Amino acid sequence: VVAIYVYMIIDGVYYAYLRLFSNGRTVEIDIKFSDGLCTAIRTKCPVLFEESVLKSIALNLKDETINKL
């Protein structure tokens, strides 16, 4: 397992794929984000996020913090 990549978030749903390296080639498989996190924990591989996903999460967190104040 090379890494888990989170590439999109739509209506609170995270879209991810798993990148594997096997027999000299790289394979990418769509996975559920929760399954990706479990895989990352078990294999100690990184979980990488597209910048647009991080920006979206940051905006949501900022809005929630402001609303709580």
Side-chain angles (χ1 to χ4, degrees):
V1 177
V2 176
I4 307 300
Y5 292 88
V6 182
Y7 63 92
M8 184 171 43
I9 181 172
I10 298 176
D11 296 329
V13 177
Y14 293 83
Y15 293 85
Y17 62 87
L18 171 70
R19 181 173 284 168
L20 302 168
F21 185 76
S22 178
N23 296 326
R25 61 181 213 169
T26 302
V27 179
E28 295 176 352
I29 303 169
D30 283 328
I31 57 169
K32 290 186 345 185
F33 179 62
S34 58
D35 292 342
L37 287 178
C38 291
T39 301
I41 291 168
R42 287 185 191 131
T43 63
K44 299 180 181 176
C45 74
V47 178
L48 307 173
F49 290 80
E50 286 286 333
E51 187 175 347
S52 61
V53 174
L54 291 176
K55 286 181 180 179
S56 175
I57 295 169
L59 291 175
N60 289 337
L61 290 175
K62 187 183 292 185
D63 293 343
E64 288 178 21
T65 303
I66 292 170
N67 290 335
K68 288 182 180 179
L69 295 176

